[in-house]
Amino acid sequence: MDNYFVSTREIQLYYADTDMMGVIYHANYLKFFELGRTGFIEDLGYSYLAMEEAGYYAPVYDIQITYKKPLRYGDQAFVKTWVDLNDGIKTIYGYAIMNGNEEECAVGTSTHIIVKKDNFRPTSFKKTFPEWYLKYEEVKKK
């Protein structure tokens, strides 16, 4: 992860996040991805809230996740986030959920498109937010 920007956020694991097996419930990893994505955006000086206030959303178009090692209540955990693809229409964020020993517990991606808030019609990220798009081009995985 040397040639591109990676944002890291600590994840607070709660007992309520566990399942009957005593591990973090699988759907919670999607929340961790969202924590990572919004943190990544903030680290670059942008705001998802500002996007919404400008009349746009960036909904999830696709999501992929592979679970490698369980997290348990009491573990230390982090989400690492980067941009895998930014083609002007869709952005694919990459994620790695790590434990305190820096072992990968889950990896995945989420694909987002930009839509107009009033009608949910897709629009070009490159044209609607040109500065933001160019920043992603600068920091994305090469």
Side-chain angles (χ1 to χ4, degrees), residues 26 29 38 41 65 69 86 99 109-111 130 133-134 137:
H26 70 276
Y29 288 79
T38 55
I41 291 167
I65 189 166
K69 185 176 180 74
N86 180 48
N99 65 19
T109 60
S110 66
T111 303
Y133 165 81
L134 288 174
E137 282 297 288

Side-chain angles (χ1 to χ4, degrees), residues 13-111:
L13 301 176
Y14 297 99
Y15 184 77
D17 293 332
T18 63
D19 61 16
M20 288 183 64
M21 296 177 285
V23 299
I24 301 302
Y25 178 65
H26 70 276
N28 286 315
Y29 288 79
L30 301 179
K31 292 189 315 183
F32 304 157
F33 282 11
E34 184 64 17
L35 170 69
R37 184 176 74 90
T38 55
F40 179 89
I41 291 167
E42 290 169 5
D43 285 352
L44 293 179
Y46 297 96
S47 165
Y48 185 77
L49 184 58
M51 177 187 283
E52 287 187 355
E53 290 169 348
Y56 298 90
Y57 293 126
V60 173
Y61 178 78
D62 183 60
I63 199 149
Q64 303 290 320
I65 189 166
T66 300
Y67 302 95
K68 295 182 164 195
K69 185 176 180 74
L71 281 171
R72 300 179 189 285
Y73 176 70
D75 286 349
Q76 193 175 26
F78 302 89
V79 56
K80 294 180 180 287
T81 309
W82 59 91
V83 170
D84 263 340
L85 177 90
N86 180 48
D87 69 8
I89 301 297
K90 67 179 177 269
T91 302
I92 300 177
Y93 296 87
Y95 308 94
I97 307 295
M98 314 293 287
N99 65 19
N101 296 324
E102 297 194 22
E103 299 169 308
E104 284 186 344
C105 296
V107 294
T109 60
S110 66
T111 303

